[in-house]
Amino acid sequence: MLEIINLHVEVEGKEILHGINLKFSPNTVHALMGPNGSGKSTLANTIMGHPKYVVTKGEILLDGENVLQMKPEERSKKGLFLSFQSPAEVSGVTISSLLRTAVNARREVPLSVMDFHALLKEKMVELKIDPSFSRRYLNHGFSGGEKKRAEMLQLMMLEPSYALLDETDSGLDVDAIKIVAEGIRQVREKKEMGIIVITHYNRFLEFLQAEAVSVMIDGKIVASGGYELAKKIENEGFGGFENAN
Ligand code: ADP
Ligand code: MG
């Protein structure tokens, strides 16, 4: 279980999250929805340990263990993963070398170069990514859709226990969204994975078969429910929730 307890978060001295309580279950697809600027990315970045996001109160527990004192790389080793809304461009680091370092950092015995490349190739085929992709510098000159595919390739190579997908579907066409959803489904067949999806669109949630939905407005959770909540939002927007604050 990934538990967020009374979480208050400040960015540059301003409180953005005002006491968030959420429980993400293992092996469940949980959607986090809300208008722009409500604090969804702030929550995702805070869970991952981005230094810009300062927790002033509350706890984040991963299977009962407080992760707040852990660095991002330690959280990653514990099984947390964040796919960024706006992935950074890193010149000089190929996707392949980044992934080999990341995969081996969490193994006692590193994969041989050959085994690593076989695994990488297998995942790239699953995601219908061109083989030359892995030799390119991370996100350098990538289109929006290519950046999101690179994020998904990382997820599939690292097989986290909880994956936060921050608007992973934005910039992808429907075919690419299907491929990403199918890739996630395949990972989940082999390994239990909790998925926390931040999205504005029902389609991605439908493909991923989201079971739980929580709504964030102005740094607070104002509603939680099942998939029907996402459908209600698609039809009616967030207007009906504003008063819940
Ligand atoms: P969402 O992802 O729901 O659109 P965000 O978490 O990105 O919302 O933003 C919530 C609020 O926090 C916004 O008012 C935004 O301006 C502010 N904020 C978020 N991240 C930063 C940052 N790195 N620097 C300054 N302000 C930020
Ligand atoms: Mg965001």
Side-chain angles (χ1 to χ4, degrees), residues 11-12 14 16-17 34-43 45 50 52-53 85 166-167 198 200 216:
V11 181
E12 289 166 4
K14 183 179 166 222
I16 307 292
L17 300 183
N36 285 329
S38 55
K40 305 180 299 296
S41 294
T42 298
L43 178 62
N45 283 301
H50 191 300
K52 198 162 181 176
Y53 300 84
Q85 182 170 2
D166 193 356
E167 303 204 18
I198 298 172
H200 290 291
M216 186 187 285

Side-chain angles (χ1 to χ4, degrees), residues 35-173:
N36 285 329
S38 55
K40 305 180 299 296
S41 294
T42 298
L43 178 62
N45 283 301
T46 305
I47 290 173
M48 213 56 224
H50 191 300
K52 198 162 181 176
Y53 300 84
V54 180
V55 175
T56 54
K57 212 192 252 181
E59 284 181 296
I60 300 176
L61 303 180
L62 176 59
D63 297 328
E65 191 181 7
N66 198 340
V67 305
L68 285 181
Q69 303 310 321
M70 296 179 196
K71 296 193 179 95
E73 58 268 31
E74 293 172 74
R75 299 185 198 200
S76 166
K77 279 188 193 168
K78 293 274 178 191
L80 296 178
F81 176 89
L82 169 63
S83 160
F84 293 107
Q85 182 170 2
S86 314
E89 299 192 6
V90 188
S91 283
V93 177
T94 63
I95 291 189
S96 169
S97 68
L98 169 88
L99 284 173
R100 198 146 76 88
T101 305
V103 166
N104 283 335
R106 52 182 68 211
R107 291 175 58 96
E108 297 218 335
V109 183
L111 278 178
S112 73
V113 175
M114 259 176 65
D115 286 347
F116 169 77
H117 281 287
L119 184 67
L120 181 61
K121 195 177 161 197
E122 178 194 315
K123 302 299 179 193
M124 287 175 65
V125 168
E126 278 176 24
L127 283 172
K128 297 195 166 65
I129 290 174
D130 188 87
S132 65
F133 197 74
S134 66
R135 294 191 295 272
R136 291 174 64 183
Y137 292 147
L138 183 66
N139 296 323
H140 191 79
F142 283 19
S143 71
E146 286 174 331
K147 285 183 184 174
K148 301 294 167 156
R149 279 177 203 242
E151 295 285 298
M152 276 314 97
L153 186 59
Q154 292 168 49
L155 180 152
M156 291 182 69
M157 292 294 287
L158 296 177
E159 300 191 343
S161 39
Y162 289 91
L164 296 139
L165 309 182
D166 193 356
E167 303 204 18
T168 295
D169 52 341
S170 71
L172 295 179
D173 58 37

